[in-house]
Amino acid sequence: MNREIRCAVLGVGRLGYRHAVNLATKVKGATLTAVSDALPEVAERVARELDVPTWSTNPDELIARDDVDAVIVVTPTDTHAAFAKRVASAGKALFLEKPLTLDLQEAGEVVKAVQQSGILCQIGFMRRFDPAYAHARNRILAGDIGEPLYFKGISRDPTAPPVAYVAASGGIYLDQSIHDYDVARFLMGQEVTEVQAMGSVLFSKEVATHGDVDQALTYLRFGNGAAGDVEAYRNAFYGYDIRAEILGTEGTLVVSGLQYHNVTLLQPRRSSYDVLPGFLERFSDAYVLEMEHFIDCVQKGEQPTVGVRDGFEALAIGTAARQSYRAGSFVSVADVCAGVPVNAGGASHV
Ligand SMILES: NC(=O)c1ccc[n+]([C@@H]2O[C@H](COP(=O)([O-])OP(=O)(O)OC[C@H]3O[C@@H](n4cnc5c(N)ncnc54)[C@H](O)[C@@H]3O)[C@@H](O)[C@H]2O)c1
């Protein structure tokens, strides 16, 4: 019989709380033994609600505990590198939210720490586990669209995140478009070699104080000559709008869906449905499925299908995009990785 994997969640804010609930109530083979948050009232409330025996404001205390086998890092992005390295030194399994870090040098250090310690590591690219994206990938692998030639990704949030979140997020290319960069690699089965990015502040003036934009477009070129584009917008208002298209030589796949409940209201001369309000609703299944995969891998001692190297590659594309937005020209992904030990991370999973 498989052993129970004892988990600690670091950071129980918007997404960490969802991971904690899933681990405590839905993910087979997992036991939530500890939670941490910088805000003691938040950590204590979540521990009480989910019947978790240990809570702390000090993540290091939890990483070191004997009754913790796996650590799920869902703290702000500017803390990821430090926690990931500490989990690696403790020899525990690591689930690390995207993006890997804010900076490629730091990301290279995380890749090295993970590889040298031999720990198991999964990155929180949950779209790969979403049934629609996973189905699209299977259709591509089955040859249903021939050779994939063009990728289009759209990610529109209903409203911009709080300014404090933006400050620690790395900006729209690293924080939001990174999901599409990963999915582009996953669906096209190719590495992105160069990008050209543009962006504007259309609505949220305050993001500009952090050098960020609220609307971004990234043109992608892949190693085999295929191409793509990724659009991101922070203020769609109508809802959470996530789409992808893959154009191939023999067909096109469209991943879309704005509808929240499977109910349509029919009225004279019009019909309507309610629109997905946010990421927690759109990807609720994916958040459970990615965590089930992580726990299954820990139980079997196998590396997850989306690892630290994938986190690095997506961050490299985002870093090139951010640089391109500033420079106004194409930027090569290899150039932004110059001097970083990118080959140290083992297999990537395009
Ligand atoms: N995969 C996804 O779909 C997805 C969605 C949202 C966020 N994220 C990622 O998850 C991370 C967290 O995002 P969020 O939206 O939940 O942010 P959040 O601000 O809602 O939550 C972060 C929590 O971490 C706590 N915290 C801050 N510093 C800490 C520390 N040093 N130790 C322990 N706790 C600390 C905060 O008090 C807060 O409760 C970010 O890296 C973000 O990029 C991923």
Side-chain angles (χ1 to χ4, degrees), residues 11-16 36-39 59 74-77 79-80 83 97-99 124 126 165 175 179 279 287:
V12 278
R14 288 189 310 169
L15 182 59
S36 172
D37 199 280
L39 303 172
V74 207
T75 48
T77 302
T79 66
H80 287 185
F83 288 137
E97 260 313 325
K98 50 54 65 176
M126 79 297 181
Y165 178 93
D175 184 58
H179 281 295
F279 62 91
Y287 291 125

Side-chain angles (χ1 to χ4, degrees), residues 80-114:
H80 287 185
F83 288 137
K85 285 191 253 177
R86 281 179 223 151
V87 174
S89 336
K92 309 275 169 94
L94 168 67
F95 181 100
L96 178 60
E97 260 313 325
K98 50 54 65 176
L100 193 62
T101 65
L102 289 177
D103 167 275
L104 276 176
Q105 275 301 335
E106 232 179 22
E109 289 165 21
V110 170
V111 169
K112 200 166 152 199
V114 165

Side-chain angles (χ1 to χ4, degrees), residues 236-260:
F237 295 116
Y238 57 86
Y240 185 63
D241 188 358
I242 302 295
R243 297 180 239 165
E245 285 179 30
I246 310 93
L247 282 72
T249 49
E250 290 166 36
T252 292
L253 284 162
V254 179
V255 178
S256 63
L258 264 182
Q259 192 160 348
Y260 184 17

Side-chain angles (χ1 to χ4, degrees), residues 216-238:
L217 188 66
T218 314
Y219 189 81
L220 311 173
R221 283 193 182 134
F222 295 86
N224 65 344
D229 71 81
V230 167
E231 181 215 298
Y233 186 43
R234 292 289 200 189
N235 295 293
F237 295 116
Y238 57 86

